[in-house]
Amino acid sequence: KTLVIPVITSFNPNDDIKINGLIVDVNEDGLITEPEFHFQLEVNRQKTGPEYSDNEPLIITRPEITFTDYTSMIVNDPPTILSAIKITENDKYTSIKSGERVRIFIPEDYQDKVNWVEGMVTFEGPEYINEGSFDINVEEHYIEFTPIENFALDSAITIHGLLIKPLDSTIKN
């Protein structure tokens, strides 16, 4: 992909241009941790292709989310405690940052079948989460928390006590 920036005047020595807030849309499976990727620059179009590369790499990564065990439900079951959810930070680059909301959604295909229920939620692992910042949004089908510090590389937290309940009798294997 190419971003073209028309310049209407010549640069003087030591002039620079800063581009802030550039949004990059990342493919869900487009992780880039190695080899490092650098933005490239072409100037004047007198040479086709990139002439210069950025000194800092662009890293695209994500944490891993897993259930510690499976959870099964039967139609008309009362609210059921899910097996614990474990969130593990990437082992090379931090992706979960202090002050940034983290949301875990019920998959769209199941939002009309189950939903979250308020319960006693606890966290196991490093104290990245203030339990008072944990919120359940039943209408939007997600739980949310805000870390109070960046997750360390390859660290993990486990969330216990999440409750879900069947909404009607349409649940099938």
Side-chain angles (χ1 to χ4, degrees), residues 6-19:
V7 178
I8 58 174
T9 185
S10 296
F11 276 44
N12 291 316
N14 298 320
D15 279 354
D16 62 12
I17 185 170
K18 292 182 182 179
I19 304 168

Side-chain angles (χ1 to χ4, degrees), residues 73 76-77 106 110-117 138 141 164-171:
M73 298 178 74
N76 297 321
D77 267 356
I106 291 175
Y110 290 91
Q111 289 179 359
D112 63 339
K113 297 172 180 59
V114 297
N115 210 344
W116 302 110
V117 178
V138 174
H141 305 281
I164 59 171
K165 69 176 179 179
L167 296 179
D168 61 30
S169 59
T170 61
I171 297 176

Side-chain angles (χ1 to χ4, degrees), residues 56-152:
E56 297 297 326
L58 171 66
I59 304 298
I60 300 171
T61 188
R62 67 172 175 232
E64 181 179 301
I65 181 170
T66 54
F67 280 97
T68 58
D69 201 355
Y70 68 89
T71 300
S72 63
M73 298 178 74
I74 298 173
V75 173
N76 297 321
D77 267 356
T80 301
I81 296 177
L82 288 174
S83 65
I85 294 177
K86 183 177 181 180
I87 300 174
T88 306
E89 180 59 281
N90 186 277
D91 63 347
K92 293 185 174 63
Y93 300 98
T94 300
S95 59
I96 302 176
K97 310 273 186 180
S98 172
E100 294 181 358
R101 292 183 307 212
V102 175
R103 291 182 177 169
I104 301 172
F105 287 87
I106 291 175
E108 281 187 38
D109 293 348
Y110 290 91
Q111 289 179 359
D112 63 339
K113 297 172 180 59
V114 297
N115 210 344
W116 302 110
V117 178
E118 295 284 338
M120 184 59 159
V121 177
T122 60
F123 295 90
E124 176 186 336
E127 296 193 16
Y128 297 139
I129 312 300
N130 175 347
E131 292 186 22
S133 77
F134 185 82
D135 189 37
I136 295 175
N137 188 316
V138 174
E139 292 78 30
E140 299 293 323
H141 305 281
Y142 66 79
I143 58 172
E144 176 182 272
F145 59 88
T146 305
I148 55 176
E149 61 182 87
N150 295 350
F151 277 41

Side-chain angles (χ1 to χ4, degrees), residues 150-169:
N150 295 350
F151 277 41
L153 298 179
D154 208 27
S155 65
I157 63 161
T158 305
I159 305 170
H160 298 278
L162 291 170
L163 287 169
I164 59 171
K165 69 176 179 179
L167 296 179
D168 61 30
S169 59

Side-chain angles (χ1 to χ4, degrees), residues 7 11 40-52:
V7 178
F11 276 44
Q40 298 176 323
L41 178 67
E42 175 185 295
V43 179
N44 300 327
R45 293 190 181 234
Q46 294 183 19
K47 175 185 172 198
T48 303
E51 299 173 66
Y52 310 101

